[in-house]
Structure formats: structure tokens, C-alpha cells
Amino acid sequence: MLSVPQAFTASLAMAAVILFCRALPFLFFSGKKTPRFLSFVELYMPALAMTVLALSPYASLNWSEAPHGLPEVLAGLLVVLLHLWKRNALVSILGGAGMYMVLERVLGV
Amino acid sequence: MEKPAAAFSLSSAFKSSVPVLLGYVTIGFGFGLLAVNNGYPVWLALFMSVFVFAGAAQYIGISLFVAGASLAEIVLVTLVANIRHAAYGLSLITSFGAHPRIKPYLIFALTDETYALLSSSKPEERADGGFLLAVSALNQLYWVAGTALGALAGSLIPGKVQGLDFALNALFIVLAVEQVLRLKKTLPFAIAGLSIFFAYRLMEGSGAMALGLIIATAILAIYNRTRTRQKRGDGNA
């Protein structure tokens, strides 16, 4: 875990990187035509980034150790189902987190 | 019509920002709570919401801090996860260019949600500097206010709440499901899913996250390219 000063430095770096991303088109393009690669990025990057973020905890899970990723998998499925059903982010997140806390307590060692 | 122009801009900006109000206060609340729950001070959470001001990136930031990621990894992941913002400005170059005094702030504050509001606003609103500034500043106000509330709530709860980390994962799952519904395609998600599992075979932690995203982007870009080529070829045949 990063210390508070390290996290602060990292936050400054993040702020600079994000400002750079947002300023990029204003620095380099005149505004008439979208470069092909950027329209590809605009269309697909959110999908790729969110999938990678959502699945990262599963990819790093230790399946052979009890409870074999069961809380993560079941709570994750609940989030997907709740979201397809209600399409309310708050309901899906609270439902999934609640389910996870319960399962971890029941199945946890 | 009797109202001064600035008040008019503010009231129409407020009206169009209401959908973001609820979302930003809740997601900002979650961010503040997560940051403090992981042992970071309230001021750092607020600092990030004021100066980083990027929803998902701030959440990712906290998980990278907790994982003890290196500065280079943090920069790389932030860059890859936010490069899409470079595409947003393209459609706003002309309208932002008309207001050079507020342009730096407008660019700084161009989040996904602000972009969505501005790019779908009426042409006369988009030409109005007061409207552009009010939408951007109101959205940031909601975000910072949510963060403050969440961080305070987090500092009132003694110790670490077990399982709260899953809320962050749940948020990413929700955002991924939203993307599936938006794109109505499965291939990008399959590629990203396989890439991330593959990346964790090669390395651990935040490095794997960045690697997974890079592999997925490369595969999809190559696939897209060959397909456009093929289509063109078919057209000629």
C-alpha cells in the first residue's frame, strides 16, 4: 500500500495524465475530422477498460483455496442480473456488495 | 427573457445537469468512502476530486494505491483508461474555442458525463459560454460534494468495513454491463476477458491490469483493421 505522500504524488501524476488526455485534441487537431484511431478508441475503449477492471479481481483469484471464489462469483452474477433487471446502478452495487458481505461471512474461513 | 443572460445560462445548465447530480453525488460518495476506508485522509480524497476529477480513474487510483503500484504503472493505467477522453474534445473544439478565457477549465473538467451533456445540448446552448461553464462547474460541484460526504461518512465508521471493496468491483461490473447494452456486441468483451486472464498468467497486480488492457486494445484494433480492409476488398470485387 502506498503511503499518503506517495499517494499524493501519484494523484498529481494522475491529474497531469488526465488533463493531457483531455487537452490532446485541442493541442493537435483543428476540429473538422476525427482521426480514425481516436474514433476507434472512443467507441471501444470504455468497453475494454470496464471489462478488464471488472474481471481483474477474478483473474487474480485463488480458486484452489476455500471458499474457491464463490462469494466473488455469486455476488458478481447478482450484480449482472440486478442490473439487467432494474438498470439502477445503486441497486446493483448495494445488492452485490451486501450479498458479498453475507457470503464471505457464511463461507469464509 | 427578462432574466440577465448569466442567470438564464445557470438555470438551463442546472436543468440539464440534474441527471448527473444524482449519479455524481452517489458515485462521489462511494469514492470518498472507499478512499478513507482504505486508510487515506479526507483531504486526499477531496484533493483528487478537485484536481484529478475523473470518476472511474479515481476509483482505479485507489485500488492501485492499495496494491502498492509503482508511479509508472499508475501513469500507464491512467493513460490507457482515459485516452478515450482525447476523442471527446474533438467535437467541442469549435464551441470551446469561442470562449478562450474559460477554455482551460472547460477542457480540464471534460468528464464522460459533462461530455455527454454538452455534446447533446442545443446548438444555441453550446454557443453560450455561461452555459458551458455552468454545466462543467455544477457537475464538478456535485462530484466534490459527494466525495466530501462519503469521506466524512468513512471517517465516522471505525476501522475497515470488510467487503466494501466489492462495491468497487460491482461498480465496474455495472459499467461493463452498460457497455454491453450500448455496443450490442460480444466480441470486444470476450477479447478483453481473455486478455486479462492471460495477463495475470504473466504478471501480477496493477501491471497485469495495464498489460491486459493493452493486449485487448491491440487485438481489437488489428481485428478491426483487417475487417475494414476485407470489406473494402469485397466492395471492389
Side-chain angles (χ1 to χ4, degrees):
Chain A
M1 185 170 152
L2 298 188
S3 69
V4 174
Q6 284 172 326
F8 176 71
T9 315
S11 304
L12 284 177
M14 285 175 64
V17 170
I18 288 168
L19 185 59
F20 171 75
C21 292
R22 288 177 185 163
L24 207 59
F26 296 92
L27 299 173
F28 295 113
F29 303 110
S30 58
K32 290 291 162 254
K33 207 169 137 268
T34 308
R36 282 251 317 277
F37 184 69
L38 275 188
S39 49
F40 168 81
V41 162
E42 184 182 28
L43 185 61
Y44 290 114
M45 196 52 90
L48 297 181
M50 293 314 147
T51 310
V52 162
L53 287 168
L55 293 181
S56 273
Y58 297 94
S60 57
L61 217 59
N62 187 349
W63 301 96
S64 54
E65 211 174 80
H68 310 287
L70 220 53
E72 285 84 357
V73 170
L74 291 177
L77 282 177
L78 182 69
V79 174
V80 173
L81 291 177
L82 278 177
H83 202 66
L84 290 175
W85 179 38
K86 289 278 179 191
R87 220 168 163 187
N88 178 328
L90 204 59
V91 170
S92 318
I93 293 170
L94 291 180
M99 170 88 147
Y100 179 79
M101 286 184 201
V102 171
L103 285 174
E104 227 199 6
R105 212 144 289 172
V106 175
L107 302 170
V109 216
Chain B
M1 293 298 162
E2 312 302 322
K3 278 191 238 171
F8 179 74
S9 304
L10 188 62
S11 77
S12 63
F14 176 70
K15 264 180 225 147
S16 60
S17 74
V18 168
V20 177
L21 169 64
L22 195 67
Y24 267 19
V25 170
T26 38
I27 303 174
F29 186 93
F31 171 74
L33 192 59
L34 183 82
V36 171
N37 193 46
N38 277 300
Y40 291 107
V42 175
W43 67 261
L44 186 65
L46 285 173
F47 176 84
M48 288 179 77
S49 287
V50 172
F51 291 101
V52 179
F53 190 29
Q58 285 180 229
Y59 276 93
I60 303 165
I62 295 294
S63 54
L64 292 177
F65 297 172
V66 172
S70 71
L71 195 59
E73 282 170 348
I74 292 172
V75 166
L76 189 65
V77 173
T78 308
L79 184 67
V80 176
N82 288 278
I83 194 66
R84 68 177 189 282
H85 284 175
Y88 293 170
L90 286 166
S91 55
L92 295 166
I93 288 177
T94 354
S95 48
F96 282 14
H99 309 282
R101 272 184 39 225
I102 52 170
K103 189 177 159 190
Y105 178 73
L106 295 178
I107 293 173
F108 160 78
L110 194 57
T111 61
D112 302 56
E113 287 74 11
T114 303
Y115 170 71
L117 289 187
L118 294 184
S119 60
S120 58
S121 62
K122 298 182 200 113
E124 66 268 24
E125 288 174 333
R126 225 174 314 158
D128 173 8
F131 177 83
L132 296 174
L133 181 63
V135 168
S136 308
L138 280 173
N139 284 352
Q140 184 162 25
L141 184 71
Y142 306 150
W143 181 246
V144 174
T147 305
L149 292 174
L152 290 177
S155 55
L156 294 178
I157 303 168
K160 196 173 187 302
V161 182
Q162 285 301 325
L164 193 65
D165 304 353
F166 191 81
L168 173 62
N169 195 27
L171 170 75
F172 292 139
I173 295 175
V174 162
L175 293 174
V177 171
E178 284 291 334
Q179 290 300 324
V180 176
L181 298 173
R182 181 179 73 101
L183 281 178
K184 299 189 173 69
K185 283 180 191 168
T186 48
L187 189 72
F189 301 94
I191 291 175
L194 290 174
S195 303
I196 189 62
F197 276 89
F198 176 69
Y200 271 96
R201 293 280 155 276
L202 302 178
M203 56 201 315
E204 280 177 6
S206 50
M209 230 157 30
L211 182 68
L213 196 47
I214 290 167
I215 297 174
T217 312
I219 295 176
L220 192 62
I222 293 167
Y223 171 81
N224 233 35
R225 227 188 167 143
T226 40
R227 237 184 53 148
T228 1
R229 287 243 175 88
Q230 270 173 3
K231 264 191 197 157
R232 264 192 223 139
D234 292 346
N236 292 339

Coordinates of all heavy atoms in Angstrom, one line a residue, chain B residues 49 79 175 206 232:
Chain B
S49 N -10.7 14.6 -6.1 CA -11.9 15.0 -6.7 C -11.8 16.4 -7.3 O -12.5 16.7 -8.3 CB -13.1 14.9 -5.8 OG -13.4 13.5 -5.6
L79 N -3.4 6.5 -18.2 CA -3.3 6.9 -19.6 C -4.2 6.0 -20.5 O -5.1 6.5 -21.2 CB -1.9 6.9 -20.1 CG -1.7 7.4 -21.5 CD1 -1.9 8.9 -21.6 CD2 -0.2 7.1 -22.0
L175 N -20.8 -0.9 -14.9 CA -20.3 -0.1 -16.1 C -20.1 -1.0 -17.3 O -20.4 -0.6 -18.4 CB -19.1 0.7 -15.7 CG -19.3 1.8 -14.7 CD1 -18.0 2.4 -14.3 CD2 -20.2 2.8 -15.2
S206 N -1.3 -4.5 -10.6 CA -1.7 -3.4 -11.5 C -1.0 -3.6 -12.8 O -1.5 -3.1 -13.8 CB -1.4 -2.1 -10.8 OG -0.1 -2.1 -10.3
R232 N -13.6 -3.5 -47.7 CA -13.2 -2.7 -48.9 C -13.0 -3.6 -50.1 O -13.4 -3.3 -51.2 CB -12.0 -1.8 -48.6 CG -12.4 -0.4 -48.1 CD -11.3 0.5 -48.1 NE -11.3 1.3 -46.9 CZ -10.3 1.6 -46.1 NH1 -9.1 1.1 -46.4 NH2 -10.5 2.3 -45.1

